[in-house]
Amino acid sequence: MAQRQFKLPDVGEGLTEGEILQWLVAVGDTVTVNQPLCEVETAKAAVELPSPYAGTVTELLHEAGTTVDVGTPIITIDDGADGPVPAPSGDGAGGAGGEIEAGLIGGAAPGGRTAVLVGYG
């Protein structure tokens, strides 16, 4: 089973941290892609973060009320896949050979843009 960690994204432009206001899931819950995981407040707004993975929540890495730096893992989800999750390459593109499948976060999107949000495009 592959454990995948979701890191706090930069939900604004150039923000460095966010406060986890509340968790909308608990350990043991089954989640789907785009299902809201938690509500995060930044200097600009309060937003719900959608899950980039489907699977079972195995760990909430921070309590509600905790301020977390962007890029810090906040939740672990077991996606049910066999074997380890491929490590991202050094170029930040992720996956084998650094290529990301079209339509996935960080991959190509319609119009030659890069998908940066779940559900983009």
Side-chain angles (χ1 to χ4, degrees):
M1 305 278 188
Q3 301 285 318
R4 302 186 69 131
Q5 289 190 327
F6 176 49
K7 297 176 182 178
L8 181 66
D10 178 357
V11 294
E13 293 184 16
L15 297 175
T16 59
E17 64 185 18
E19 178 184 350
I20 298 173
L21 295 178
Q22 68 175 331
W23 285 103
L24 304 173
V25 297
V27 172
D29 287 356
T30 300
V31 296
T32 59
V33 172
N34 291 333
Q35 178 179 340
L37 297 174
C38 65
E39 187 174 324
V40 174
E41 183 175 43
T42 67
K44 296 185 178 187
V47 296
E48 288 183 348
L49 295 181
S51 178
Y53 314 117
T56 304
V57 176
T58 58
E59 190 175 10
L60 302 178
L61 301 171
H62 303 278
E63 299 282 330
T66 304
T67 299
V68 180
D69 290 333
V70 168
T72 301
I74 59 171
I75 189 171
T76 304
I77 298 172
D78 185 336
D79 68 2
D82 291 332
V85 176
S89 64
D91 64 2
E99 295 298 319
I100 299 175
E101 185 178 329
L104 295 180
I105 296 173
R113 296 176 288 186
T114 299
V116 293
L117 298 173
V118 173
Y120 180 83

